Amino acid sequence: MKKELTVDDFIKGIPKAELHIHIEGSFEPELMFKIAERNKARTRFKSVEEVREAYKFCNLQDFLDIYYEGAGILTGEEDFYELTTAYLEKAASQNVLHSEIFFDPQTHTGRGIGFSTVIDGIHGAVTDAGGKFGISTRLIMCFLRDLGESSAMKTLEEALPYRDRITAVGLDSAEVGNPPSKFREVFARAREAGFLAVAHAGEEGPAQYVREALQLLKVSRIDHGNRCIEDDELTEELVRRRIPLTVCPLSNLRLKVVNRLEDHPLRRMLERGLLVTVNSDDPAYFGGYINENYSAITRALNLTAEDVYKLAKNSFEASFLNEGEKAEMSARVDEYKNS
Ligand code: HPA
Ligand code: ZN
């Protein structure tokens, strides 16, 4: 282990993958103002400081209201391109070698923006980022669970011509009252079309939603999943099947999923043998990108450099990279640790 480094420096330098990041949640206020001006769009805020001041959330719905408002500024293909490029540059600067990025087409198609505008902008940016920043990527298209299954099905149809650009489908937005069981058919259809599947579950919703995501949606990863540990049998199944959890510490703190980071279940999850990863969720809204998430949870739970190493290794194992890519990137984590 790199004895001369502080744990924080070890975190900054270690190669890692990010598996839970909503591209619309990386929309920094400065870029919001720039794009709003270009699009001659109005915002109700007068300054960057005023925007940040508004980011005081009591729960998931509070956050979602302001997150959809911000995303409403995105209009043209270049807006999606710039948003995605800004995130990828930042992620690469934090030694993220690989990122699996969520996007929410319904947030935009519902405002009359074409599906092709969204996917062309995002895809253009991830393609260019490989060469510019040396970061590899996959895209995950999320369905907004509060809009129901028929809207999700329509979105899936729109995505089919872009099948080669999208690795998986996911499920996000307001969780409670919108269980995975409502989305059985659209996920079955997506899997038939060759998409992998993930779902947000157990963030605000109960452990039962995690079980439903596994059994009914046949997901290969759970996003958040915090509440799974309330259910021993479910936890055992997740451990046995090596189903990854994409945990987001600063998101959990800001949305009051935990009152204090010291109460966060991540250490217990690791001790139970769960395949836990650390991610930023919506970095522009929750006060930090991936390294700030690693640092905050490390400090709160007194994690060691060995724990950080484990989390970074997990991030590649949990990714949708092929086995060769996983082995190659994972070896870079070992090289870093042993150098
Ligand atoms: N949960 C649900 N939906 C979301 C989130 C989240 O943390 N971030 C963006 N959309
Ligand atoms: Zn999320």
Side-chain angles (χ1 to χ4, degrees):
M1 195 64 69
K2 289 176 170 286
K3 289 204 178 58
E4 72 283 11
L5 291 185
T6 63
V7 182
D8 253 1
D9 286 336
F10 184 70
I11 286 169
K12 284 181 189 154
I14 200 165
K16 52 189 87 68
E18 174 146 66
L19 308 177
H20 187 155
I21 153 78
H22 301 261
I23 201 63
E24 294 88 349
S26 72
F27 202 6
E28 293 287 352
E30 291 81 359
L31 187 59
M32 241 180 231
F33 276 103
K34 179 183 164 202
I35 291 181
E37 199 174 325
R38 184 165 72 206
N39 293 342
K40 307 206 176 352
R42 281 176 192 282
T43 69
R44 67 183 161 98
F45 301 109
K46 289 193 192 62
S47 66
V48 166
E49 293 68 38
E50 213 180 285
V51 180
R52 291 200 198 281
E53 187 58 29
Y55 292 175
K56 298 220 168 91
F57 317 112
C58 292
N59 55 36
L60 175 59
Q61 189 59 58
D62 251 21
F63 154 70
L64 290 169
D65 291 342
I66 201 154
Y67 161 85
Y68 293 129
E69 184 181 343
I73 295 167
L74 298 161
T75 309
E77 187 180 320
E78 74 267 45
D79 302 347
F80 292 94
Y81 182 95
E82 247 182 272
L83 172 70
T84 308
T85 301
Y87 161 69
L88 289 168
E89 183 170 16
K90 178 76 181 178
S93 79
Q94 296 201 340
N95 290 307
V96 173
L97 305 185
H98 174 71
S99 179
E100 302 192 351
I101 301 174
F102 294 129
F103 68 110
D104 287 344
Q106 288 151 295
T107 299
H108 315 295
T109 54
R111 303 180 284 118
I113 311 288
F115 189 97
S116 62
T117 303
V118 179
I119 189 73
D120 286 345
I122 296 173
H123 184 256
V126 301
T127 305
D128 292 348
K132 277 198 285 196
F133 312 125
I135 188 167
S136 98
T137 48
R138 296 285 184 278
L139 295 180
I140 304 176
M141 175 177 81
C142 280
F143 302 121
L144 302 184
R145 62 209 306 160
D146 45 334
L147 298 186
E149 190 171 48
S150 62
S151 175
M153 198 64 95
K154 185 167 169 277
T155 304
L156 177 61
E157 298 291 338
E158 288 181 294
L160 291 178
Y162 303 97
R163 170 67 203 86
D164 58 331
R165 299 180 181 181
I166 303 168
T167 300
V169 295
L171 191 62
D172 66 0
S173 200
E175 187 181 5
V176 175
N178 297 304
S181 55
K182 286 189 179 175
F183 298 88
R184 253 182 264 214
E185 282 184 28
V186 70
F187 270 68
R189 199 65 181 276
R191 282 185 284 101
E192 273 165 29
F195 295 97
L196 295 169
V198 298
H200 283 54
E203 181 185 17
E204 285 190 344
Q208 175 59 19
Y209 285 19
V210 176
R211 183 173 270 122
E212 283 185 14
L214 284 178
Q215 292 175 350
L216 305 179
L217 307 187
K218 306 202 184 331
V219 298
S220 31
R221 222 157 59 197
I222 297 285
D223 297 312
H224 295 294
N226 295 40
R227 294 187 61 190
C228 75
I229 49 167
E230 294 171 16
D231 183 327
D232 276 344
E233 210 177 294
L234 172 65
T235 303
E236 259 164 52
E237 181 178 347
L238 293 165
V239 171
R240 182 171 42 79
R241 295 179 54 198
R242 292 203 66 67
I243 301 283
L245 304 180
T246 62
V247 171
C248 306
L250 289 174
S251 165
N252 293 159
L253 181 66
R254 296 292 288 271
L255 301 187
K256 305 201 187 315
V257 169
V258 293
N259 290 326
R260 308 177 315 146
L261 270 189
E262 289 75 7
D263 301 331
H264 197 283
L266 182 135
R267 176 186 281 286
R268 277 177 288 147
M269 290 169 155
L270 281 172
E271 286 167 357
R272 284 296 306 263
L274 286 160
L275 183 44
V276 186
T277 64
V278 167
N279 309 272
S280 69
D281 205 2
D282 299 283
Y285 291 88
F286 299 147
Y289 286 76
I290 194 164
N291 284 354
E292 289 78 23
N293 274 273
Y294 270 81
S295 287
I297 197 68
T298 294
R299 208 170 313 121
L301 301 182
N302 285 317
L303 301 182
T304 61
E306 194 62 39
D307 295 322
V308 170
Y309 164 74
K310 176 84 186 152
L311 290 165
K313 290 288 277 186
N314 284 355
S315 72
F316 292 104
E317 180 180 347
S319 74
F320 290 141
L321 291 164
N322 67 38
E323 291 308 316
E325 292 165 327
K326 281 186 191 183
E328 197 184 305
M329 292 193 203
S330 197
R332 287 177 62 182
V333 183
D334 292 313
E335 274 165 34
Y336 174 80
K337 182 189 173 193
N338 298 324
S339 66

